Amino acid sequence: MSINFHSEKNKSSYVNRGAHSTWKQELLPLLSAHQPNHVVDLGCGGGIYTRALAAMGVPKVTGVDFSNVMLEAATRHSDSYPTVGYQLGTATSTGLKDQGANMVLARALLHHIDTLKPVFQEVERILDQDGLFLIQTRTTDDCFLKGTNNHVRGHFFDCFPALMGVEKKRRHSVEEICTALNESGWMLEKNWTFWETRARHSSKEVLLNDIRLRKGRSILHELSDSQIQELMTHMQRNITTEGAIEEKDRWTLLVAKKKGTPLH
């Protein structure tokens, strides 16, 4: 069963952690070079990266999400961020004004979207001519790396190869993304992969409790409770670190500009 982002029981799944410095290091050069005064965090969930952008000095950040439940949690955790606001909307109908933003971040969004072109057209509408579109996503190449002490996600597919089929259906390749960008008025400026530290768990037991709760990992909602227990046993056996665990995910980051905008 897929995750229900509108359920109260999932309210805290995407709110109770901060963006790691490994993510900030990738975004900082882009923020420094373009100096955006309004960034939209599209599919913001609990606002983890919305707040991070504000903390990095962006004068105005708007998080957009289709779930009132997620936005309630995001708003509650953003009291100390006066430059952050939230908007109920979808990826194809944000409710934001034309050309009112200088940068849009779509992090961990595309695998929830079947057809990319309408999303990219909406981003084209809300960004000004010189605006930057940042897409942070995981391709199957990113996801299917073997499980290690740090690449925790790989153990999901080592234990349940059938999950690879689920992942393949929802993950868009770089080629698919680039085709949809081109058809929606965008040109790709550059793309690369990087490792982002997701969390630092004080022990293996803390990590396994996160797995039990399916915390922040939508793919685990495809597993039954008994399968989650089987996965925990598999990870207990195959993760050999006995102390703190720094959990990392590999991501693909694509940077696009509107056609007609000079490339850097």
Side-chain angles (χ1 to χ4, degrees):
M1 180 184 294
S2 299
I3 185 172
N4 180 1
F5 289 106
H6 304 285
S7 172
E8 286 286 333
K9 71 178 182 180
N10 294 322
K11 178 180 282 190
S12 299
S13 289
Y14 294 90
V15 72
N16 290 325
R17 66 180 181 88
H20 194 265
S21 59
T22 48
W23 179 83
K24 295 175 184 178
Q25 288 165 6
E26 298 295 323
L27 271 288
L28 190 57
L30 296 169
L31 294 176
S32 298
H34 295 275
Q35 296 290 311
N37 56 47
H38 182 199
V39 177
V40 173
D41 182 10
L42 189 60
C44 66
I48 293 169
Y49 294 86
T50 320
R51 293 185 289 275
L53 288 164
M56 293 169 72
V58 178
K60 179 182 179 182
V61 190
T62 302
V64 178
D65 203 90
F66 77 139
S67 168
N68 264 319
V69 169
M70 292 292 170
L71 291 182
E72 288 171 5
T75 301
R76 189 171 63 252
H77 283 76
S78 301
D79 287 343
S80 59
Y81 296 85
T83 60
V84 165
Y86 293 100
Q87 167 85 22
L88 182 66
T90 68
T92 57
S93 181
T94 61
L96 300 175
K97 67 180 183 179
D98 292 358
Q99 299 188 13
N102 319 110
M103 185 178 286
V104 170
L105 170 67
R107 182 194 179 279
L109 172 67
L110 296 195
H111 63 289
H112 297 298
I113 304 294
D114 292 328
T115 306
L116 298 179
K117 188 174 177 180
V119 176
F120 294 171
Q121 289 173 330
E122 174 69 355
V123 175
E124 199 274 342
R125 181 186 70 79
I126 66 176
L127 266 180
D128 65 22
Q129 182 57 42
D130 296 322
L132 211 60
F133 184 18
L134 312 182
I135 300 170
Q136 184 181 344
T137 190
R138 278 192 289 262
T139 67
T140 51
D141 287 342
D142 298 319
C143 293
F144 295 159
L145 295 170
K146 186 172 178 58
T148 65
N149 289 340
N150 300 114
H151 184 233
V152 170
R153 185 173 295 267
H155 292 294
F156 304 169
F157 307 106
D158 294 340
C159 185
F160 293 105
L163 280 182
M164 297 177 77
V166 176
E167 200 72 290
K168 285 178 181 178
K169 286 181 181 179
R170 67 179 194 160
R171 294 291 173 182
H172 301 278
S173 68
V174 170
E175 291 74 21
E176 289 172 332
I177 295 170
C178 288
T179 296
L181 284 170
N182 184 60
E183 292 175 350
S184 308
W186 295 96
M187 54 186 176
L188 182 69
E189 184 176 51
K190 54 186 174 180
N191 66 284
W192 66 94
T193 61
F194 73 99
W195 286 91
E196 177 185 346
T197 295
R198 183 187 185 278
R200 188 178 188 276
H201 307 281
S202 58
S203 67
K204 189 189 300 187
E205 288 67 34
V206 172
L207 166 62
L208 293 178
N209 188 56
D210 260 15
I211 298 301
R212 181 181 63 81
L213 296 173
R214 301 176 173 87
K215 197 170 181 180
R217 299 173 176 89
S218 59
I219 189 69
L220 295 185
H221 288 260
E222 303 292 334
L223 301 179
S224 67
D225 289 347
S226 61
Q227 288 174 317
I228 287 291
Q229 288 298 321
E230 185 178 345
L231 175 59
M232 291 170 63
T233 300
H234 173 85
M235 293 173 68
Q236 176 72 50
R237 183 171 58 249
N238 286 279
I239 295 177
T240 58
T241 300
E242 294 303 326
I245 296 172
E246 187 172 4
E247 180 185 355
K248 299 180 179 182
D249 289 316
R250 198 181 81 170
W251 292 86
T252 295
L253 187 62
L254 302 96
V255 180
K257 288 187 172 183
K258 291 186 178 183
K259 290 181 178 179
T261 303
L263 294 178
H264 287 179

